[in-house]
Amino acid sequence: LPMGQIPMCSEKILFVLLTGGLIPIIAHPERNHEIMKDIKKLKKWIENGVLIQINGGSLAGRYGSTVKKTAEKLLMEGYTHNIASDSHSSYHPFFFYKGIKRAEKLIGKEEVDNMVNKNPKKILSIE
């Protein structure tokens, strides 16, 4: 998602993907301003089969306190299926590790391990 808003065509695109047998993954929604204001905007998508992936760096505070709080809320409210590194450089693994430790404090090591290492769904995230 772009950082500013949820595009008007999102519902239609997700519907087309889902009815085509694909499982869309929304990457780092915690950085979207509309989601920051109301995480429940993701609820219908999740109920329809869309997966949510937050970044470990967000949980580590890499993108500021509002993004961190949103990521924590998505995690604790059960809106998160995967936690990813979003690694685009050599600095990201540090923030990913720090974020994983934060997630473990919030929801427990086993649950986090399932989100990072053992997610039973065979998925591919493409940005």
Side-chain angles (χ1 to χ4, degrees):
L1 295 174
M3 291 178 67
Q5 73 276 348
I6 297 172
M8 291 179 10
C9 61
S10 297
E11 295 279 338
K12 185 174 184 175
I13 291 169
L14 293 173
F15 176 78
V16 168
L17 292 171
L18 287 163
T19 56
L22 299 172
I23 302 172
I25 302 169
I26 304 297
H28 44 69
E30 69 275 12
R31 291 164 37 189
N32 176 279
H33 294 284
E34 283 190 54
I35 303 302
M36 286 181 208
K37 291 177 187 171
D38 182 12
I39 67 166
K40 292 188 178 170
K41 291 183 183 254
L42 296 172
K43 187 173 183 177
K44 182 179 176 187
W45 293 355
I46 293 167
E47 289 171 348
N48 288 329
V50 173
L51 300 178
I52 304 300
Q53 175 178 294
I54 63 172
N55 288 346
S58 297
L59 291 167
R62 169 107 169 104
Y63 308 103
S65 62
T66 304
V67 172
K68 180 180 180 180
K69 287 177 188 172
T70 305
E72 289 176 345
K73 193 170 187 179
L74 288 167
L75 191 64
M76 292 187 300
E77 296 284 329
Y79 282 53
T80 304
H81 301 93
N82 300 296
I83 303 172
S85 66
D86 197 32
S87 288
H88 295 275
S89 75
S90 61
Y91 296 105
H92 287 271
F94 168 77
F95 291 105
F96 178 66
Y97 177 76
K98 192 174 175 184
I100 293 303
K101 291 300 171 193
R102 177 70 183 139
E104 288 173 353
K105 287 182 182 178
L106 294 171
I107 63 168
K109 186 172 177 44
E110 184 176 343
E111 186 66 26
V112 172
D113 188 46
N114 286 333
M115 289 182 179
V116 175
N117 298 313
K118 299 178 185 169
N119 194 314
K121 296 182 183 280
K122 294 190 181 217
I123 56 175
L124 174 64
S125 178
I126 301 172
E127 284 191 47

